Amino acid sequence: MAAHQSTEWRTVCEKFRLAQELSEIESRKDPENNPFRSKYKARDLLKEIHCSLVKIHIEEEEEGEDDNEADGGSMQIAEGEPGNECGKTCTGDSPAGLRAARLAVLQYYLGVNHIETEELSAGEQHLMNCMKLIDKCTTTRENVSLFIQARNQLGILWAGRDEIEKAQGFLEIAESMYLLYMKEDGQPPLDLQDYFVSEGEELSQQEKIRSRFEMAYTHTLYYLAQVYKNLEQYERAGQYCHSTLQRQLEYKQFVPLEWAINAATLSQYYITKTRYMEARHCLAAASVIATLAGEIPSEAAAKESDAECEKREELLQKRSEIARCWIKYCLNLMQDAKKLLEDNIGELDLDRQEELKRARQNEEEEKEKGRKSAILFGSSDTFDSICSLEEKISSMLPLDFEEARSIFLVGQSYVAQAKEYFAMDGHVTDHIEILQDHSALFKVLAFFEQDLERRCKMHKRRVDLLEPICKDLNAQYYLLICRQLQFELAESYYEMMDLKLAVADKQDQPDVHTIKKFNNLCSSSMKYYQMFLDSIRSPEGKFPEKLEDEVLRPALVAKFRVARLQSKLISNNLATQLENLNHSLESYSFIVQYCEENPEAKKAVETELELSNEMVSLLPLKINRIRSNMASCN
C-alpha cells in the first residue's frame, strides 16, 4: 500500500516500536515515586500514532485505494462517533478491514495502558472502542488474535470488579472464536505487533506468531477457570485449570515452580472427588517440573550470596509445599479405603475386604488407562520421569496392610521433605500441621494392622510425635492448636487403652505390670481430655452453660470418654472403686443433663447420649453393691 511506502508510515511504525519498548522494558526501571512514567510516555505515542493513522487513512481514501463508504464507517468509530456503515459485510482481510484492525489495535493498547495505570474506566472505554471496530468485520487470520485478546482483557477487567457473569460472557466468546477459527482455518494469525511494520522489515516468525496466539487462548482458559471457580462450578473450573496446565507445558509457556504449585493445588481438588489417578498424575508432574527450576543451593552457598539465599529459600518452600500435597494424597487414599472397609464399630470388616479384593479386576485397571490418556501432562523431556514417579505409589485404594504400608511409607518420606522448610523455628503452625498429618498416617495404618500389640505401638508413635509439642506450646497464643493436640493425644491414649483392654481380655488374669500400664493409659487419656475441657472454661474457671458450636461435640465426647475411662480404672481397693464410679456417674450425668437443657445438642452426640442414659441407670446399682460390700467388710 502507498501508506506503507511513505515516510509518515515509517514514523508511525517507529513510534509504535518505541511505545512497546516503553511499556514492556523501560517501565520496569521507573522510580517508585513515579511508577507509571514510561507508561504515560507510551500512551502519548499511541495517541500520536492514532492521529497519524487517521490522516494516512484519509490519504488512502483520496487515492482511491479502497471503498470510501466502508472506510468512512471505520473512521467514525475510531473518532468515537456512532455508525455502522460496513457491518459484517467488511471482511477482515480487506483493505477496509485492515484499516479498522489497525485502529482497533491502537485502541487495544490504549485500553491495556490505562488498566495498567489503574484507570479502569478509561481502559474499559478504549477496549470497547476496539471491540466496536473489529466487530464490524468478519473474523479472519488478520484479526482473530485481536478479537480474543480484547475479550480476554475485558473478562479480566469485569472479574476484577466482581462482575463474574459479565467476565464469563467475554471469555466464553473468546473461547468459541478460537475453536471456530482453528476448525475453519487453523493457520497462524497476524500478530498484533505486525500491524505496524515498515516495508522491508520482516514480520514475526510463524513459530513466534503461533506461540503468542496459543498463549492468548491459554490465558482465556486460565481466566475461565477462575470465573467458574467463583461461580462455584468446581468441576468445570478443574477441567479448565487442567487444560491450562497441559497447554502451558505443550507450548513451553510456564515458570517451573509456579506451574508445579498450580498442578499440586489441582491435585487437591481431584482428591476431594476421589479421583486419585488424576491427583497422582498432577503431583508427579509437579514434582518433576519443579526440578526444572534447578538444584537447591547449599547452605554454604546461600551464606555467601543473597541471590543464592533467595533461591534456596524459594526452592525449599515450593518443594516442601508440593511434599505437603503428597502427604494429603497418601492420607486421603488410606482414609477413603478405611471408610470402605470398616464395620459399624470402626474395625476392619474381613468379609468386605475379601469382597473388594475379588471385585478388583483387570478391566478396571484398563478403564483407568483409558482415562489417563486424556489427562497426561508432560513433553518428551519429562514424560518418562513423570511416569516413573507415578509407578512408586498406587492410585488404587489399599485393601490390606501391605498395600496401606506402601502408601504410608511414601507419605512418611514426604513428611521428612516437608519439614526441611517448615521447621518449628519460624513455621510453628505449618510444622504442627505436618506432624498432625504424620500422626494421622499412623492412625489410619493401625486400622489395617491385625496384631493388637503392633497397633498399640503405632498409636504410641502418634503420642511421641505430638506430646513434646503440646507441652512446649503456649496456649495463650496457640489456643486452637493446643486444643487439637490435647484432643488427639487423649484419643491416642484412649485407643491404646482399648487395645490393651482387648489384649488383657485374652489373658486369664492380667499381671500387676499390665494393670499398671493399663491404668497409666487411662490416666494419661483423662489428663488430656481434661486439659481440653479446661481450655473451654472462662478466665474465672467457670465451665460455659452453653457450648459454642465448634466445641459442642468435642467437649461432650471428651466428657463421655472421661466417664468411660473413670469406670475402667482397675483397683482392688473398694473405696477407690467407689470414688472412680462416682466420678464416672457425674460425667455421664453431665451429658444427659446438658442435652436435656439444650435439646439441639442431642443430634451431635446421639450414640454417646444413648449410652450415657444407660450408664446413668446402671452405675447407681453398681455403686450400691460396692457400698454394701464395704459395709459388710466393716
Side-chain angles (χ1 to χ4, degrees):
M1 296 175 73
H4 284 228
Q5 299 167 11
S6 70
T7 303
E8 192 167 11
W9 176 250
R10 286 194 294 273
T11 303
V12 163
C13 294
E14 179 59 20
K15 284 183 179 180
F16 183 81
R17 186 190 65 76
L18 286 173
Q20 293 293 101
E21 190 175 298
L22 283 164
S23 289
E24 296 174 10
I25 300 171
E26 294 301 318
S27 61
R28 299 172 192 168
K29 306 171 189 175
D30 287 345
E32 288 185 13
N33 61 352
N34 192 5
F36 302 135
R37 182 178 63 188
S38 297
K39 299 284 185 185
Y40 293 143
K41 289 181 180 178
R43 182 187 301 175
D44 290 339
L45 285 172
L46 290 171
K47 288 179 177 178
E48 289 176 20
I49 294 169
H50 184 272
C51 293
S52 298
L53 208 56
V54 170
K55 182 181 176 183
I56 290 171
H57 286 182
I58 291 171
E59 290 175 359
E60 290 176 354
E61 181 183 343
E62 289 173 351
E63 292 172 14
E65 288 191 9
D66 198 10
D67 179 75
N68 291 337
E69 185 178 346
D71 188 42
S74 295
M75 290 307 304
Q76 285 177 351
I77 293 296
E79 296 180 272
E81 298 174 8
N84 186 4
E85 296 294 326
C86 60
K88 286 291 181 181
T89 59
C90 176
T91 60
D93 57 355
S94 68
L98 290 172
R99 283 197 291 274
R102 280 199 294 270
L103 289 168
V105 167
L106 289 174
Q107 292 291 338
Y108 171 82
Y109 280 116
L110 281 166
V112 172
N113 180 285
H114 280 83
I115 289 169
E116 288 175 346
T117 57
E118 301 174 5
E119 300 164 77
L120 301 185
S121 295
E124 179 195 350
Q125 186 58 53
H126 282 292
L127 289 171
M128 291 307 295
N129 285 345
C130 169
M131 294 267 288
K132 288 174 185 175
L133 283 161
I134 52 176
D135 279 350
K136 294 179 180 299
C137 307
T138 58
T139 306
T140 63
R141 67 176 296 274
E142 283 75 19
N143 59 23
V144 66
S145 187
L146 183 56
F147 265 110
I148 291 169
Q149 292 189 57
R151 282 168 172 79
N152 279 356
Q153 289 294 336
L154 284 163
I156 299 165
L157 183 71
W158 285 107
R161 292 169 169 170
D162 287 332
E163 295 276 359
I164 304 301
E165 291 182 355
K166 279 190 177 181
Q168 179 186 7
F170 284 114
L171 293 167
E172 285 182 345
I173 290 173
E175 179 189 23
S176 62
M177 280 182 167
Y178 171 87
L179 295 173
L180 184 63
Y181 177 78
M182 293 304 290
K183 180 182 177 182
E184 295 183 350
D185 191 319
Q187 296 300 308
L190 193 65
D191 192 67
L192 269 59
Q193 296 179 12
D194 288 339
Y195 282 101
F196 296 92
V197 176
S198 299
E199 187 178 19
E201 290 184 22
E202 291 186 7
L203 295 175
S204 301
Q205 294 177 355
Q206 292 287 296
E207 187 177 334
K208 189 179 289 186
I209 293 172
R210 168 66 77 189
S211 176
R212 287 176 182 163
F213 181 56
E214 296 298 347
M215 185 185 290
Y217 179 59
T218 302
H219 287 160
T220 305
L221 299 181
Y222 173 79
Y223 300 131
L224 275 171
Q226 312 311 308
V227 162
Y228 293 136
K229 181 181 177 183
N230 284 315
L231 291 172
E232 298 183 3
Q233 297 178 22
Y234 298 117
E235 184 76 23
R236 293 186 78 183
Q239 291 169 358
Y240 276 76
C241 185
H242 201 116
S243 297
T244 300
L245 292 168
Q246 278 179 316
R247 289 177 59 82
Q248 286 174 335
L249 280 186
E250 181 183 353
Y251 295 103
K252 295 182 171 55
Q253 300 165 345
F254 65 95
V255 177
L257 287 181
E258 182 184 318
W259 190 97
I261 291 298
N262 287 335
T265 303
L266 179 59
S267 76
Q268 305 305 285
Y269 162 74
Y270 285 131
I271 287 171
T272 64
K273 299 297 180 182
T274 66
R275 291 167 62 178
Y276 287 104
M277 185 204 66
E278 289 92 334
R280 179 185 65 176
H281 188 65
C282 286
L283 286 168
S287 294
V288 170
I289 298 302
T291 64
L292 300 181
E295 292 294 321
I296 298 175
S298 64
E299 286 188 45
K303 288 177 182 177
E304 293 176 6
S305 163
D306 288 343
E308 289 295 282
C309 182
E310 287 179 15
K311 184 178 179 183
R312 176 180 169 80
E313 178 83 2
E314 184 182 27
L315 288 175
L316 276 175
Q317 180 182 352
K318 299 305 182 187
R319 291 182 186 181
S320 294
E321 287 173 1
I322 294 167
R324 293 184 71 178
C325 290
W326 270 114
I327 296 167
K328 294 295 186 185
Y329 170 87
C330 296
L331 182 56
N332 280 273
L333 188 61
M334 294 171 70
Q335 287 176 336
D336 282 345
K338 176 179 179 291
K339 290 174 189 173
L340 210 58
L341 291 164
E342 64 186 352
D343 58 20
N344 58 357
I345 58 168
E347 292 295 320
L348 180 63
D349 187 328
L350 297 176
D351 292 336
R352 178 69 173 148
Q353 184 184 46
E354 287 304 312
E355 179 188 334
L356 289 170
K357 282 186 175 182
R358 286 194 299 271
R360 189 189 280 174
Q361 299 294 332
N362 288 334
E363 61 259 30
E364 191 64 30
E365 294 178 11
E366 289 299 319
K367 192 188 296 181
E368 291 292 306
K369 290 177 184 176
R371 283 172 61 203
K372 187 170 183 177
S373 64
I375 59 101
L376 287 177
F377 287 136
S379 59
S380 56
D381 300 332
T382 58
F383 182 78
D384 290 343
S385 298
I386 293 171
C387 289
S388 176
L389 189 53
E390 284 184 288
E391 289 169 3
K392 293 181 180 179
I393 182 168
S394 174
S395 63
M396 308 286 280
L397 296 178
L399 298 180
D400 57 34
F401 179 77
E402 287 306 316
E403 291 179 1
R405 182 174 177 273
S406 68
I407 295 166
F408 167 85
L409 291 174
V410 172
Q412 186 166 246
S413 71
Y414 283 112
V415 166
Q417 189 174 321
K419 288 194 292 186
E420 286 181 30
Y421 178 78
F422 295 109
M424 190 66 179
D425 184 15
H427 301 280
V428 175
T429 304
D430 290 301
H431 183 82
I432 292 172
E433 285 177 2
I434 292 166
L435 292 181
Q436 288 175 305
D437 282 343
H438 197 183
S439 170
L441 283 168
F442 273 111
K443 180 182 178 181
V444 72
L445 180 64
F447 167 81
F448 291 90
E449 177 56 73
Q450 296 294 292
D451 185 281
L452 298 183
E453 290 291 352
R454 287 180 64 184
R455 282 175 73 177
C456 198
K457 288 176 182 176
M458 290 174 192
H459 289 296
K460 180 63 168 64
R461 288 295 303 276
R462 296 173 64 199
V463 170
D464 293 342
L465 284 169
L466 302 179
E467 199 162 45
I469 300 290
C470 188
K471 288 177 179 177
D472 293 341
L473 210 58
N474 189 328
Q476 184 179 347
Y477 301 109
Y478 298 102
L479 178 60
L480 180 58
I481 295 174
C482 283
R483 283 178 178 173
Q484 291 172 352
L485 293 175
Q486 289 158 0
F487 198 92
E488 187 166 354
L489 282 164
E491 182 187 65
S492 300
Y493 278 117
Y494 189 86
E495 294 275 2
M496 292 165 71
M497 178 277 295
D498 262 343
L499 290 166
K500 289 295 182 185
L501 188 62
V503 171
D505 286 344
K506 295 179 181 179
Q507 301 173 357
D508 294 334
Q509 182 66 39
D511 55 30
V512 175
H513 174 73
T514 302
I515 291 172
K516 184 179 179 182
K517 195 162 189 177
F518 176 82
N519 282 344
N520 284 339
L521 290 172
C522 287
S523 298
S524 295
S525 184
M526 283 192 289
K527 179 183 79 172
Y528 282 110
Y529 277 130
Q530 195 57 53
M531 286 172 68
F532 172 81
L533 290 167
D534 288 344
S535 76
I536 300 171
R537 295 180 184 275
S538 68
E540 294 76 31
K542 187 179 178 182
F543 200 80
E545 293 182 7
K546 188 173 180 63
L547 294 162
E548 298 290 335
D549 288 344
E550 62 268 19
V551 295
L552 173 63
R553 175 165 170 77
L556 294 180
V557 167
K559 275 285 187 184
F560 173 81
R561 289 183 177 174
V562 165
R564 181 168 181 258
L565 288 161
Q566 287 165 331
S567 68
K568 291 294 180 184
L569 287 166
I570 300 172
S571 175
N572 292 325
N573 186 290
L574 290 176
T576 304
Q577 289 179 29
L578 184 63
E579 183 182 2
N580 290 337
L581 288 177
N582 275 321
H583 285 317
S584 178
L585 180 59
E586 284 176 20
S587 297
Y588 282 127
S589 298
F590 175 89
I591 297 166
V592 173
Q593 184 179 344
Y594 185 88
C595 290
E596 285 176 356
E597 294 173 358
N598 302 276
E600 69 279 2
K602 292 179 180 179
K603 286 185 179 180
V605 284
E606 287 181 353
T607 303
E608 290 80 6
L609 178 60
E610 183 181 346
L611 292 170
S612 296
N613 278 315
E614 288 181 19
M615 296 309 292
V616 167
S617 300
L618 295 173
L619 278 180
L621 300 175
K622 194 171 183 179
I623 289 169
N624 287 335
R625 279 199 301 271
I626 293 174
R627 282 178 176 155
S628 298
N629 289 338
M630 290 174 68
S632 61
C633 289
N634 292 331

